[in-house]
Amino acid sequence: MAFYYKPLSFLILATLLLSRISFSEATKNGGVTVDLIHRDSPLSPSYDPSTTHFERLRSSFRRSISRQSSLRSASKSPDSFEATLTPIGGEYLIKVSIGTPPVEILAIADTGSDLTWTQCAPCTQCYKQKAPLFDPTKTTTYRSVSCTSQQCQSLGPGSSSCGRSNGCLYQVSYGDSSYSNGDLAVETLTFNSSTTQESVAFPKVVFGCGHNSGGIFNETGSGIVGLGGGSVSIVRQLETTIGGKFSYCLTTLDSKVSSKISFGPSATVAGPGVASTPLVKKSPDTFYYLTLEGVSVGNEALAYNFIPNSKSKASVEEGNIIIDSGTTLTFIPSSLYNELESTLKKSISGNPVSDPQELFELCYELPSNGEFSAPPIIAHFTGADVELTQESTFLEVEKGVVCFTFVPSEDLAIFGNLHQMNFLIGYDLENQKVDFLPTDCSKPQ
């Protein structure tokens, strides 16, 4: 049978293919930088203008509590494959295209997950999404992965099985009882650079083509882009290509400018003012562990493992806190929090009030001039002293009420995204370090 095609369709396909460049070509311009869209930003398709600023804040705080619980469960059971996702979607969304010709999806960018997946046709059971399902029959670069392949084995115990024709099936479950099951495959992923406007293609990336997904997902998102430290995350899969480097710069909550995430040479964080701290290898390897040695309030330093009524300080455990872009608040051990709160109370001259939502333990009435003053707070990571902005440590959570945005925790400590805003933060997996550089993330870096 002769093969016929429509000239116009062929022309469109050829144009799409020619407009994409390889990452090796993109490195001439420093790599690739992509927009990160906060789910509560007016730039997000899930933005609800009928909700108030304070209602959106409260929702993000509640998601933090749920996510911390989810992350805690995964950290205690590293041998079971349980990904970590906040209910009702993550905090940041990223646009990525899959296949040839490329089909754009909007997915959750998650440093607490490894496997990248999207919902695919045909779908046995799928949560509702606004965008069309990705159809693997309409791409020329889709390839299934066999059960005996290294890619399939890298998913870990209990997370893969054999389907028909020896195809690898993946199963992921999340701490909020959400899940996704489907075929493991390789495909071309394409990012549209927000700085050069070029489409940068990464071939043969392992991803999940989900045919059975459910739970508490937002209909604006089509899946997950896994940015964790595990072997199947896109950061690890592209490690030799991007040099094991990615960075992001998170804008403040009221910014009208998108946050940015970079991969490759442009993700290098260097120059005056950079503070570097080691990444600590622990299980599960999905999470990025740092060592927090203490916190300072003004000139008064507080040890991390503060023990009341003890003349000596306990030694600091390495990798005692994870840095996570998907958690808004910062969680620290109750012993350190209590000492921190006590020191702040002595340093702040204001009118204490209760948090109307009973989430935060230290709140003050916002002065009539709108200016609240608190001493600087410095997080002392190993080798890196990171001074946090007052705009993030004390936040107006209700009209006229400002609260301290650290939360006591009895177990898992998390350095949240609220205290990462207006820092260029670089992850260097080859040299096992995280770099912090204070900057205005709303301006070009």
Side-chain angles (χ1 to χ4, degrees):
M1 180 182 292
F3 177 72
Y4 298 95
Y5 60 85
K6 295 180 180 179
L8 181 59
S9 299
F10 180 79
L11 179 61
I12 293 172
L13 176 58
T15 301
L16 286 169
L17 293 176
L18 288 172
S19 65
R20 286 199 288 179
I21 64 173
S22 68
F23 187 77
S24 60
E25 294 174 278
T27 54
K28 297 173 184 177
N29 297 321
V32 59
T33 297
V34 186
D35 288 338
L36 275 179
I37 305 170
H38 194 280
R39 57 165 288 127
D40 291 331
S41 161
L43 301 172
S44 168
S46 63
Y47 177 75
D48 183 358
S50 67
T51 60
T52 68
H53 167 71
F54 296 122
E55 287 173 336
R56 289 190 289 272
L57 273 182
R58 288 294 179 180
S59 293
S60 74
F61 298 154
R62 287 193 293 270
R63 291 194 298 270
S64 282
I65 301 298
S66 297
R67 184 172 174 90
Q68 196 259 359
S69 176
S70 183
L71 291 168
R72 181 177 65 242
S73 298
S75 67
K76 289 182 177 179
S77 305
D79 293 330
S80 63
F81 190 86
E82 180 174 289
T84 50
L85 181 68
T86 303
I88 322 177
E91 295 303 300
Y92 289 93
L93 302 170
I94 186 171
K95 290 180 180 178
V96 60
S97 294
I98 302 178
T100 306
V103 176
E104 186 177 82
I105 67 168
L106 188 65
I108 298 166
D110 193 4
T111 55
S113 295
D114 289 328
L115 183 65
T116 293
W117 61 265
T118 189
Q119 295 198 120
C120 292
C123 209
T124 306
Q125 172 66 47
C126 279
Y127 67 87
K128 183 180 178 182
Q129 68 174 54
K130 290 183 178 179
L133 297 173
F134 177 71
D135 189 344
T137 66
K138 295 182 178 180
T139 167
T140 61
T141 45
Y142 180 94
R143 299 289 184 274
S144 60
V145 171
S146 73
C147 296
T148 55
S149 67
Q150 184 179 357
Q151 295 104 318
C152 189
Q153 303 305 316
S154 66
L155 287 179
S159 61
S160 65
S161 61
C162 255
R164 289 178 295 180
S165 303
N166 198 40
C168 182
L169 303 178
Y170 78 90
Q171 305 96 36
V172 291
S173 61
Y174 297 88
D176 63 351
S177 299
S178 298
Y179 62 91
S180 178
N181 306 319
D183 298 314
L184 196 69
V186 293
E187 185 54 284
T188 296
L189 263 59
T190 304
F191 291 100
N192 184 34
S193 174
S194 59
T195 53
T196 65
Q197 306 308 313
E198 294 175 319
S199 295
V200 183
F202 297 91
K204 299 180 180 179
V205 176
V206 176
F207 85 112
C209 198
H211 300 289
N212 183 6
S213 306
I216 312 175
F217 290 103
N218 192 294
E219 64 181 25
T220 57
S222 302
I224 303 289
V225 172
L227 299 172
S231 60
V232 295
S233 79
I234 62 168
V235 177
R236 287 295 187 187
Q237 288 191 65
L238 305 177
E239 190 165 2
T240 56
T241 309
I242 65 176
K245 294 182 177 66
F246 76 99
S247 67
Y248 52 71
C249 208
L250 306 181
T251 57
T252 56
L253 295 173
D254 57 353
S255 176
K256 294 180 174 60
V257 178
S258 288
S259 301
K260 305 289 184 184
I261 184 168
S262 300
F263 300 93
S266 59
T268 300
V269 180
V274 172
S276 300
T277 189
L279 275 170
V280 179
K281 291 185 177 181
K282 292 181 67 174
S283 184
D285 56 6
T286 300
F287 305 144
Y288 295 107
Y289 295 91
L290 308 180
T291 303
L292 181 66
E293 296 182 341
V295 180
S296 289
V297 177
N299 295 322
E300 186 168 349
L302 309 172
Y304 182 91
N305 286 341
F306 177 82
I307 301 177
N309 304 318
S310 174
K311 294 182 180 180
S312 62
K313 308 296 184 185
S315 60
V316 175
E317 176 192 359
E318 286 193 342
N320 54 22
I321 191 168
I322 67 172
I323 179 170
D324 181 45
S325 63
T327 305
T328 302
L329 302 173
T330 289
F331 296 79
I332 59 174
S334 297
S335 56
L336 175 60
Y337 176 86
N338 293 336
E339 187 71 3
L340 183 55
E341 181 183 298
S342 175
T343 304
L344 283 169
K345 285 180 177 179
K346 299 173 185 176
S347 309
I348 296 173
S349 57
N351 181 28
V353 294
S354 298
D355 174 15
Q357 302 294 325
E358 300 183 341
L359 172 61
F360 299 108
E361 301 190 11
L362 182 62
C363 301
Y364 291 90
E365 180 182 326
L366 183 67
S368 56
N369 63 4
E371 296 181 3
F372 178 79
S373 179
I377 295 176
I378 301 172
H380 299 287
F381 298 100
T382 299
D385 297 330
V386 179
E387 182 171 342
L388 310 179
T389 64
Q390 183 177 301
E391 291 77 15
S392 67
T393 53
F394 279 90
L395 193 65
E396 187 177 12
V397 299
E398 296 283 350
K399 185 66 175 178
V401 177
V402 292
C403 293
F404 182 49
T405 54
F406 280 62
V407 178
S409 171
E410 297 302 328
D411 35 50
L412 184 66
I414 303 174
F415 188 62
N417 66 49
L418 189 60
H419 301 123
Q420 299 176 48
M421 293 175 181
N422 277 340
F423 283 94
L424 178 59
I425 300 179
Y427 294 69
D428 185 339
L429 275 57
E430 284 193 352
N431 296 301
Q432 284 294 295
K433 64 173 184 171
V434 172
D435 301 312
F436 296 87
L437 178 64
T439 188
D440 184 350
C441 290
S442 64
K443 296 180 180 179
Q445 302 302 310

